[in-house]
């Protein structure tokens, strides 16, 4: 069973910074693409950024230049450094990975961590 555990959310003023962490099972971490998604009230969940096993990254246009995704395979932890935060970044942030079970691609999600940016 894959478990993803996020931490690091909180309340911050506009222009501030936060770093989110996602820790997961060591046996799968280094091989998997990992990602951060977010969901604001009344909106669909959206991709924020992802990083593959080789370290290549992909970002939503809305966060490019402000957020940085990274991973530490030795610590089986993924990070999201968020700088110059804006009120529109307010959302629940989720850690995500997808794994091949042998028959299907299975999605795994963390419990989410709230990020609130005040203006």
């Amino acid at each position: 069973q894959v478990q993803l555990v996020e931490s690091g959310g909180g309340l911050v003023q506009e222009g501030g910074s936060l770093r989110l962490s996602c820790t997961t099972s060591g046996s799968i971490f280094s091989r998997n693409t990992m990602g951060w998604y977010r969901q604001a009230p009344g909106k669909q969940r959206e991709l924020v950024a992802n990083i593959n096993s080789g370290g290549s990254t992909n970002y939503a246009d809305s966060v490019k230049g402000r957020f940085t995704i990274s991973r530490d395979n030795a610590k089986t932890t993924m990070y999201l450094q968020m700088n110059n935060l804006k009120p529109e970044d307010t959302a629940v942030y989720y850690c995500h990975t997808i794994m091949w079970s042998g028959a299907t691609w299975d999605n795994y999600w963390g419990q989410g961590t709230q990020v609130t940016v005040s203006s």
Side-chain angles (χ1 to χ4, degrees):
Q1 183 69 22
V2 175
Q3 289 188 324
L4 306 175
V5 180
E6 302 104 334
S7 62
L11 173 64
V12 64
Q13 289 190 329
E14 185 173 7
S17 298
L18 284 173
R19 189 176 81 156
L20 305 183
S21 300
C22 171
T23 301
T24 187
S25 309
S27 62
I28 59 96
F29 183 83
S30 63
R31 300 191 299 272
N32 277 29
T33 292
M34 305 290 298
W36 289 99
Y37 285 73
R38 67 186 181 187
Q39 188 166 20
K43 294 188 177 181
Q44 289 189 330
R45 193 171 295 190
E46 63 176 2
L47 175 68
V48 176
N50 58 26
I51 183 168
N52 68 15
S53 59
S56 294
T57 58
N58 177 53
Y59 295 92
D61 287 343
S62 60
V63 306
K64 283 180 181 176
R66 300 187 298 121
F67 291 10
T68 303
I69 189 171
S70 62
R71 64 194 297 164
D72 185 332
N73 289 341
K75 296 181 178 179
T76 65
T77 301
M78 174 179 66
Y79 304 98
L80 185 68
Q81 178 66 43
M82 304 185 293
N83 297 329
N84 190 21
L85 282 159
K86 303 176 181 181
E88 52 263 42
D89 296 317
T90 295
V92 178
Y93 283 70
Y94 297 91
C95 178
H96 171 266
T97 193
I98 187 166
M99 289 183 60
W100 177 247
S101 69
T104 60
W105 285 101
D106 297 331
N107 288 282
Y108 295 91
W109 298 92
Q111 80 285 358
T113 186
Q114 177 70 47
V115 171
T116 303
V117 185
S118 63
S119 57

